[in-house]
Amino acid sequence: MIKTPLVPEAETHVVVAGDWHGNIDWVGRAIPSIARDTIGVRTILHLGDFGIWAGVRGRKYLDAVDFWCGKAGISRVLVTPGNHEDWKWLKSEFDSQPGQPVKLSSAVEVLPRGYRFTIANKTFASFGGAASVDFEQRTAGIGWFPGELPTEHDVAHAVAGGYADILLTHETVDGGTAATESVLNRNPMGWSPEALAYSSRSRELVTQVWEGIAPKVLFHGHMHAADEITLPSGQQVISLGRDGQAKNLALLELSTLHWQWLEGPRKAPRVRRTRDWVTQYMTRPDCENTAD
């Protein structure tokens, strides 16, 4: 268990989270695990494929995130959007208030590409979006949106802001971690040449942002392959796992930019006697039957 010091009126640590995919069960375990394993964390920086969708399902998911954040003492979830989000709606919202985050709920805000913010004197840059390599299997305007792919203008805007200490993306960069490079080189799902070219273009654009901003640390999701690398430059690239995987959460210490994996949710019990959120939150894993 990792306990961080509680400093009144100051944030010393933040939690970075990989893909959640609108998974209500997962947030009902991941967010409480942050409360159990840390002290004083008030901000989650989410790396996309968060689960931004219209309709009742999307609303219930946001309600669940708000509920668990309230229980865990989390004030805000700042989302760098992924590819599996409703980009038609997002683009409309971003266009209506250029350069400003979009408030989704009491806790959740989604960040436009190139958005800058500061926590504890450390500068962050957010650059969302990525290629859906499975776009050929999806319906445009329903399960896939062209707006997921950044533009050259987006890149230029992000780079124009100059250096930032930490870059938050959904897409990976070229020359990233060994795990992500292995997936890209092997193409285990057998994606078509067109799909691979689309994915390559997405990484090319995000790599331009990475090179232009030259941060000390890059956190990204998307690849569902948790790994880390320190480059000869001293820069670090950290790829986070998705919902249901280990290493979906990382703890970043702001003064030094040192980070470490959080243990995250314990293994879920086979059968829960209740789906009531309050009861589920208060029942600790060591009180539940988690035998294989």
Side-chain angles (χ1 to χ4, degrees), residues 82 87 94 111-115 126-130 147-151 154 157-158:
W87 272 96
F94 286 144
L111 309 178
R113 291 180 178 125
Y115 187 75
S126 172
F127 195 81
E148 69 181 21
L149 192 71
T151 66
D154 294 329
H157 169 67

Side-chain angles (χ1 to χ4, degrees), residues 146-230:
E148 69 181 21
L149 192 71
T151 66
E152 292 282 2
H153 175 77
D154 294 329
V155 171
H157 169 67
V159 171
Y163 171 79
D165 296 304
I166 303 102
L167 177 60
L168 307 170
T169 68
H170 183 63
E171 181 69 91
T172 186
V173 293
D174 292 327
T177 68
T180 59
E181 290 294 299
S182 175
V183 172
L184 294 169
N185 291 331
R186 290 186 295 109
N187 186 20
M189 300 300 291
W191 303 117
S192 71
E194 292 77 16
L196 294 177
Y198 182 51
S199 174
S200 178
R201 176 57 175 163
S202 177
R203 293 194 307 280
E204 177 187 359
L205 292 165
V206 174
T207 300
Q208 289 176 21
V209 175
W210 158 250
E211 292 174 346
I213 291 177
K216 294 177 181 176
V217 183
L218 165 67
F219 289 99
H220 73 83
H222 189 47
M223 299 298 295
H224 307 166
D227 200 3
E228 59 187 278
I229 187 173
T230 300

Side-chain angles (χ1 to χ4, degrees), residues 218-288:
L218 165 67
F219 289 99
H220 73 83
H222 189 47
M223 299 298 295
H224 307 166
D227 200 3
E228 59 187 278
I229 187 173
T230 300
L231 302 173
S233 63
Q235 295 169 287
Q236 291 185 294
V237 179
I238 301 98
S239 173
L240 278 75
R242 61 166 290 171
D243 53 310
Q245 293 179 339
K247 300 182 178 180
N248 175 246
L249 303 172
L251 182 70
L252 175 65
E253 200 280 322
L254 293 166
S255 66
T256 63
L257 297 185
H258 292 163
W259 69 277
Q260 53 194 306
W261 299 112
L262 285 175
E263 182 178 347
R266 282 63 160 174
K267 183 178 179 181
R270 286 184 176 179
V271 178
R272 288 188 183 273
R273 291 183 294 275
T274 179
R275 300 304 297 172
D276 177 74
W277 289 348
V278 175
T279 302
Q280 181 180 333
Y281 179 83
M282 296 305 296
T283 304
R284 300 302 171 121
D286 59 353
C287 298
E288 298 175 332

Side-chain angles (χ1 to χ4, degrees), residues 33-101:
S33 80
I34 295 171
R36 288 191 291 267
D37 295 345
T38 72
I39 295 175
V41 169
R42 299 202 299 274
T43 298
I44 297 173
L45 304 175
H46 196 279
L47 302 174
D49 282 9
F50 175 72
I52 302 169
W53 296 101
V56 174
R57 181 181 176 186
R59 185 69 256 165
K60 285 184 176 180
Y61 172 65
L62 289 172
D63 288 346
V65 173
D66 283 353
F67 175 87
W68 291 114
C69 283
K71 289 292 182 181
I74 301 295
S75 302
R76 57 183 181 171
V77 181
L78 304 181
V79 180
T80 296
N83 52 307
H84 295 316
E85 323 277 15
D86 186 342
W87 272 96
K88 181 178 179 180
W89 180 83
L90 273 179
K91 186 176 185 305
S92 174
E93 291 296 306
F94 286 144
D95 288 348
S96 70
Q97 44 186 322
Q100 297 302 312

